[in-house]
Amino acid sequence: MKKLYSFIATVMVASSIFAQTVFNATFDDVTGTGGNDGGWSGSVAGSGFTDGSASYTTGGAWTFAKVYRGSGCLKAGTSSLKGTVTTPSIALTGNATLTFRAGAWNGANEVTTLNISATGATLSQANVTLVKGAFTNYTVNITGATGTVVLTFEGSVAANNRFFIDDIKVTTGSLAVADINNTKARNFVKNTFVKSDEITFGADVKDVKVYNMFGQVVKSASVKENGSVNVAELAKGNYIVTGTVNNEPVSQKILKD
């Protein structure tokens, strides 16, 4: 079924775990077939929206051209006509991150290029390459937003450029952290599986903060190499530990047992 998420163990640069969401389209109210139910060809997504800006208004007025109802997602385009999905106006100033899931129709001659454009801002890339018959997560940087941004997703050609799209999200205020795989960060947290109520650190770490999955700070400290922080009072579950090692921000997911 749709949206079975898990946090990845390696937290990469500019993680958006604690970002502020300014726009989030899940399409959970779209009832149809295809995409999230595993259907990527044939007769799926047969029920269409009316072209224009009046047929889908969740979160604002969307503008559609040749868009159809998938299983909690949208399918755009036909074998001969280009599909276009344009978001409502998004209030945004400055920089942000766009994330979405998309996949191509599973046809032998299907084109897999999805074009992305924005009015009121600049995108870090103008298109992505889709995978046939599967959703892939995509991330695009938004810069120079001037107050109102509108995003458009459309096929690159008219014929056989059908795509499914879901979970269009725009976030700001990302927590910038260093790649945990780099040399300085590698020994940041020595025991990512915490069984003894103590998080042990492999380096001198300043400004240690432990976040729960709601982005709330539940513990803070500074520790020396091989030092530890007691987290006995915390419930079992996943947490994110951040800190500064050799003047570089680092972050690591942990699981407290």
Side-chain angles (χ1 to χ4, degrees):
M1 294 300 290
K2 182 182 178 187
K3 298 174 183 145
L4 300 177
Y5 296 115
S6 62
F7 284 92
I8 58 173
T10 300
V11 181
M12 304 299 290
V13 176
S15 167
S16 60
I17 292 171
F18 307 126
Q20 178 183 357
T21 300
V22 296
F23 181 80
N24 188 23
T26 64
F27 305 112
D28 288 345
D29 58 346
V30 176
T31 302
T33 58
N36 288 305
D37 61 6
W40 295 91
S41 62
S43 60
V44 301
S47 174
F49 292 93
T50 302
D51 287 356
S53 57
S55 62
Y56 187 68
T57 57
T58 301
W62 294 73
T63 302
F64 287 164
K66 299 299 174 286
V67 175
Y68 300 82
R69 292 175 174 85
S71 175
C73 62
L74 303 178
K75 176 253 181 180
T78 72
S79 60
S80 60
L81 297 171
K82 182 188 297 187
T84 303
V85 175
T86 300
T87 69
S89 296
I90 303 168
L92 180 65
T93 300
N95 302 332
T97 302
L98 163 66
T99 58
F100 61 95
R101 299 191 306 135
W105 184 267
N106 195 12
N109 298 316
E110 210 68 26
V111 178
T112 57
T113 300
L114 174 64
N115 288 342
I116 320 162
S117 60
T119 57
T122 300
L123 302 182
S124 59
Q125 59 195 85
N127 55 67
V128 296
T129 300
L130 305 178
V131 175
K132 293 181 182 181
F135 276 117
T136 301
N137 295 307
Y138 298 92
T139 300
V140 178
N141 292 324
I142 302 173
T143 57
T146 56
T148 300
V149 174
V150 174
L151 302 170
T152 297
F153 304 83
E154 64 178 352
S156 61
V157 296
N160 294 319
N161 199 177
R162 293 162 283 189
F163 63 92
F164 291 84
I165 191 165
D166 196 6
D167 296 323
I168 301 171
K169 181 184 291 189
V170 177
T171 55
T172 62
S174 298
L175 174 66
V177 295
D179 183 348
I180 200 67
N181 289 319
N182 70 38
T183 301
K184 293 181 180 179
R186 189 169 296 144
N187 296 318
F188 170 46
V189 175
K190 297 177 71 174
N191 59 327
T192 56
F193 182 55
V194 180
K195 296 190 293 184
S196 60
D197 292 330
E198 299 279 340
I199 304 173
T200 304
F201 296 85
D204 292 349
V205 188
K206 298 179 181 179
D207 301 321
V208 173
K209 289 184 174 62
V210 181
Y211 292 84
N212 61 21
M213 291 298 98
F214 298 101
Q216 300 166 323
V217 178
V218 294
K219 193 84 175 184
S220 59
S222 289
V223 296
K224 296 292 186 180
E225 184 175 355
N226 295 318
S228 61
V229 172
N230 187 281
V231 291
E233 74 276 18
L234 301 184
K236 293 181 180 180
N238 292 303
Y239 295 87
I240 299 292
V241 182
T242 69
T244 303
V245 176
N246 296 328
N247 296 317
E248 287 191 8
V250 290
S251 179
Q252 176 65 56
K253 175 191 171 183
I254 65 168
L255 173 63
K256 182 177 184 291
D257 187 29

